[in-house]
Amino acid sequence: MDSLKTIEGKVRAVLQENEDARNDDMVLYLALCNLYLKDAGAMPLAQILLNHKELGLPSFESVGRTRRKLQEKCPELLGSVRMQKIRAKGEKAYRRYAKES
């Protein structure tokens, strides 16, 4: 639980400072990795993905969930209107897909 609260604080800080991170989880994850690990952006992607636990990095999914939670609670951290519409369409499509399965 404590690690999730730590992730939340760092995700909040990145979202507050970086508007691009509000719209793109990949930008958010890179910025967050750079907070946890100096020069993470210079590392090969495979090394980060395969060794994220050993490197002390949060999982990509935890970061995405945390972003969604924060954006739900704090409208000022929402992405652009265009991205909000894209995400809403994607959510509707996923709900239809989930009901079909």
Side-chain angles (χ1 to χ4, degrees):
M1 186 72 152
D2 288 338
S3 68
L4 292 175
K5 289 188 184 216
T6 300
I7 292 169
E8 183 175 331
K10 290 184 181 204
V11 169
R12 180 187 299 272
V14 170
L15 292 175
Q16 287 172 334
E17 295 174 20
N18 186 335
E19 289 184 37
D20 290 335
R22 297 175 196 167
N23 293 321
D24 188 329
D25 281 347
M26 296 303 283
V27 172
L28 172 60
Y29 193 68
L30 176 59
L32 200 63
C33 286
N34 281 323
L35 276 180
Y36 276 89
L37 186 64
K38 187 179 178 207
D39 295 326
M43 295 174 71
L45 179 61
Q47 184 178 358
I48 289 173
L49 296 178
L50 294 173
N51 300 303
H52 74 277
K53 288 180 185 177
E54 293 83 7
L55 294 169
L57 301 172
S59 73
F60 185 79
E61 188 61 31
S62 292
V63 172
R65 281 191 206 121
T66 302
R67 187 231 355 118
R68 289 189 295 275
K69 176 185 171 192
L70 285 169
Q71 287 181 331
E72 188 176 305
K73 290 189 324 185
C74 308
E76 69 275 12
L77 299 179
L78 286 171
S80 67
V81 173
R82 178 180 166 272
M83 186 53 64
Q84 290 176 49
K85 288 179 182 179
I86 290 170
R87 285 184 173 146
K89 276 185 182 179
E91 183 178 341
K92 286 179 187 175
Y94 181 79
R95 287 177 191 259
R96 282 192 305 269
Y97 164 77
K99 286 180 183 179
E100 290 174 4
S101 298

